[in-house]
Amino acid sequence: MAYRSLQEIIEFCEQENKAFWEAILEDDVSERGGAKADSVGKMQTMWQAMRDAGENYDGNLRSKSNLSGGDGAKMQEYSAAGGTIGGEFMAEVIAEALKTGESNACMKKIVAAPTAGACGVLPAVLLPMYRRGVSEEKIIEALYVAAGIGQVIAARAFISGAAGGCQAEVGSASSMAAGALVHLRGGSHKQILHAVAMAMKMLLGLVCDPVAGLVEVPCIKRNVGGAVNAIAAADMALAGIESVIPADEVIDAMKEVGMNMAPAYRETARGGLARTKTGRKITAGMKW
Amino acid sequence: MNIFDILGPVMIGPSSSHTAGAVKLGYVARRLLGTEPIAAKIYLHGSFADTGRGHGTDRAVVAGILGMKEDDERIPFSYEIAAEKGFHFSMENIQLPGAHPNTVIMELTDAAGRRIEVQGSSIGGSRIMINKIDQAEVECTAEYPTLIIHNKDLPGCVAEVTSVLAAKKINIATMRLFRGKRGTQAVMIIEIDEAIEKEVIDKLEMIFGIMKVTYIPGM
Ligand code: SF4
């Protein structure tokens, strides 16, 4: 039985003396059948696909609408020249989020996490950690942590912009990434939950307003926001900072906010950035 | 949702519903035809019609009909591949009152002139629902291994099918029956726990009153 609350997961972990990721792995095995090795193998495929998406990035590609492409490369050049405000690590995170988001817009292969629109958030935080020496084994564990968090969000609320705005999509991805990062740094179960709660709180209310209905503007840059936000949340949790509102309740609040969100802000391209003067001009200029 | 619905699928962008779901719909239609399609008429409804071109929905549907899965890197080039193969298709927008916003109708034809008409929707994430097969209303997600059996609406057909499956120790997860007017054609949609072998399908096809058996491995 899939978990319906994050609290339930950590209570189980404490009782059984298990790690968060183990609880999720075991649940997957009992849910879908098969051996542990099959599940881990599948997760390795996901990780490999995330790495490939980063490596196969082509800064010369443009999306069909011509709205996206090339920004990941710009960010990398800027960072290589030195002197970025947020430091080298942050610049790499930003570049990875842009690269995966742009690859998605250009019809390249990506991993939906939890959706295609938010596919850049998790790789953006995991790839720079991996390059700095975190083992693949640890990354796979972190992906189980992320998947478990996403599963609870999907069960309690929603994970698509059409259902609950971008808070449900990039917000969920950011919470998943924050929890994954805490695991990579050896944080406690409670710290994972605080990171999830804080990441979601910081993006609560975020609307889904894609220009011309395409997963490009603002989606690609929102992936950057989700990734950077995840790092802030994870660092705070690791510092011992706690969320006053528990993670499960924050997820419930996200659901409530999403349900009250006018349809114009739920992927219909009828509000927000999509409705701006420029947004409308772009939409009108699409020839198909 | 299982964890690989959350982390996954590995897919060609940009949209789970408008791209990955669209490929799956085309792919299932191909399976339902059962042979190599040489031509198709494709109709896009709702958001598929409005934003589909920008999401590659058009190319994705064609890719699926040509047999590609959602992670196939050839999806963006499906039109060119279709031309090479001599596969002809038309694509139009259509309004289907009451249908899900992401709906497509595909009419496929093979070299022998066999036709099938499939209507399906992309219902969120990359999940799909087949709504109609040759005018018969059905509900099929193709998520699990699924048998789709067209049969004459005769007494005993269902019992024979289940007894063939039982004899092969195949566990039925869900089974639903759909039919038009009494005594005409009916469709059984049977979801099973595990993949089945060709031999079972051949057995099913020999049952009196069974017109066609299609098997879709879970996607
Ligand atoms: S704005 Fe909408 S389509 Fe874009 S990433 Fe956010 S939820 Fe997805």
Side-chain angles (χ1 to χ4, degrees):
Chain A
M1 239 307 279
Y3 294 102
R4 285 202 59 89
S5 78
L6 293 168
Q7 188 58 35
E8 223 177 275
I9 299 177
I10 67 167
E11 275 166 16
F12 171 82
C13 291
E14 253 124 65
Q15 271 165 26
E16 307 282 319
N17 200 15
K18 290 218 154 87
F20 196 111
W21 67 270
E22 275 179 297
I24 307 304
L25 167 60
E26 283 175 17
D27 186 59
D28 180 50
V29 169
S30 75
E31 186 88 337
R32 293 186 312 119
K36 268 191 193 173
D38 296 335
S39 176
V40 173
K42 193 156 182 192
M43 197 56 99
Q44 280 163 340
T45 313
M46 298 299 149
W47 171 236
Q48 188 58 48
M50 285 183 185
R51 289 176 56 189
D52 291 347
E55 265 154 43
N56 296 337
Y57 172 75
D58 178 353
N60 295 315
L61 277 183
R62 294 295 176 272
S63 64
K64 190 129 180 276
S65 68
N66 217 13
L67 288 171
S68 343
D71 288 346
K74 266 189 204 157
M75 193 63 209
Q76 279 178 323
E77 278 164 35
Y78 166 68
S79 168
T84 59
I85 300 168
E88 200 198 324
F89 181 80
M90 207 51 119
E92 202 173 316
V93 170
I94 295 169
E96 290 305 331
L98 291 170
K99 282 162 64 184
T100 307
E102 288 179 328
S103 296
N104 181 54
C106 297
M107 296 190 81
K108 303 306 267 179
K109 203 191 277 191
I110 52 90
V111 184
T115 58
C119 66
V121 177
L122 262 174
V125 305
L126 295 180
L127 287 168
M129 295 294 278
Y130 180 66
R131 288 192 200 113
R132 282 165 183 72
V134 173
S135 70
E136 169 162 302
E137 206 185 323
K138 210 65 190 156
I139 297 274
I140 300 297
E141 291 175 12
L143 286 172
Y144 276 100
V145 173
I149 293 163
Q151 212 176 14
V152 169
I153 298 174
R156 290 182 89 87
F158 18 56
I159 52 166
S160 78
C166 202
Q167 54 164 7
E169 210 164 284
V170 168
S172 299
S174 189
S175 296
M176 289 158 63
L181 284 170
V182 170
H183 174 72
L184 289 184
R185 278 302 173 90
S188 69
H189 295 146
K190 286 211 175 79
Q191 284 173 326
I192 292 177
L193 264 55
H194 284 302
V196 169
M198 289 188 282
M200 185 63 88
K201 287 202 298 192
M202 294 190 279
L203 294 176
L204 206 62
L206 191 63
V207 299
C208 171
D209 50 355
V211 170
L214 304 177
V215 195
E216 301 191 44
V217 179
C219 316
I220 296 169
K221 284 156 198 147
R222 287 234 171 108
N223 276 270
V224 175
V228 171
N229 183 67
I231 292 169
D235 265 340
M236 283 197 283
L238 290 163
I241 297 170
E242 300 193 338
S243 171
V244 174
I245 312 294
D248 291 314
E249 291 181 42
V250 174
I251 296 169
D252 294 345
M254 189 275 275
K255 179 177 186 186
E256 187 213 294
V257 171
M259 299 220 315
N260 287 316
M261 217 176 248
Y265 305 113
R266 287 190 272 119
E267 217 182 276
T268 53
R270 284 195 265 116
L273 296 169
R275 277 289 297 163
T276 55
K277 195 168 139 218
T278 305
R280 278 180 290 155
K281 211 168 110 198
I282 292 170
T283 312
M286 298 271 165
K287 292 188 241 22
W288 40 53
Chain B
M1 278 201 220
N2 81 56
I3 56 170
F4 295 106
D5 292 326
I6 304 287
L7 276 189
V10 177
M11 56 169 272
I12 302 303
S15 161
S16 327
S17 54
H18 285 66
T19 322
V23 180
K24 280 193 189 171
L25 286 164
Y27 184 82
V28 172
R30 173 196 179 89
R31 292 300 295 236
L32 286 163
L33 180 68
T35 48
E36 186 66 37
I38 57 155
K41 287 187 183 156
I42 301 162
Y43 303 92
L44 302 174
H45 160 78
S47 164
F48 264 13
D50 296 341
T51 67
R53 308 298 194 273
H55 283 122
T57 306
D58 43 1
R59 287 176 179 263
V61 172
V62 171
I65 295 172
L66 294 175
M68 295 177 217
K69 299 273 189 73
E70 74 263 25
D71 65 346
D72 197 313
E73 270 152 341
R74 297 171 302 160
I75 291 170
F77 313 106
S78 66
Y79 282 16
E80 291 75 14
I81 295 168
E84 268 166 38
K85 285 194 173 185
F87 170 82
H88 295 283
F89 64 93
S90 64
M91 178 119 28
E92 282 170 49
N93 292 345
I94 193 174
Q95 284 186 7
L96 301 167
H100 186 283
N102 299 329
T103 297
V104 58
I105 296 179
M106 296 158 282
E107 289 174 26
L108 309 190
T109 316
D110 73 3
R114 256 189 308 243
R115 273 186 72 244
I116 192 154
E117 185 183 320
V118 180
Q119 177 179 324
S121 314
S122 180
I123 56 171
S126 61
R127 281 167 302 141
I128 60 162
M129 180 70 83
I130 301 296
N131 319 114
K132 274 189 193 171
I133 303 172
D134 284 339
Q135 305 299 327
E137 300 210 5
V138 299
E139 274 173 29
C140 167
T141 64
E143 235 170 89
Y144 309 98
T146 306
L147 281 166
I148 298 169
I149 302 177
H150 285 74
N151 60 291
K152 295 208 178 97
D153 188 14
L154 301 171
C157 252
V158 174
E160 292 232 26
V161 167
T162 53
S163 77
V164 166
L165 295 177
K168 292 276 168 196
K169 302 216 168 11
I170 292 163
N171 199 24
I172 296 177
T174 68
M175 173 162 188
R176 271 164 309 163
L177 310 173
F178 302 89
R179 65 172 192 181
K181 277 200 279 323
R182 181 192 292 253
T184 56
Q185 211 202 80
V187 182
M188 291 179 225
I189 309 254
I190 305 173
E191 291 180 340
I192 46 196
D193 283 345
E194 282 147 62
I196 56 168
E197 278 146 33
K198 171 98 176 49
E199 183 204 337
V200 180
I201 298 167
D202 294 344
K203 265 237 159 74
L204 290 169
E205 272 176 337
M206 278 156 57
I207 298 172
F208 180 72
I210 299 287
M211 295 151 65
K212 183 172 163 191
V213 180
T214 310
Y215 172 62
I216 303 172
M219 300 184 50

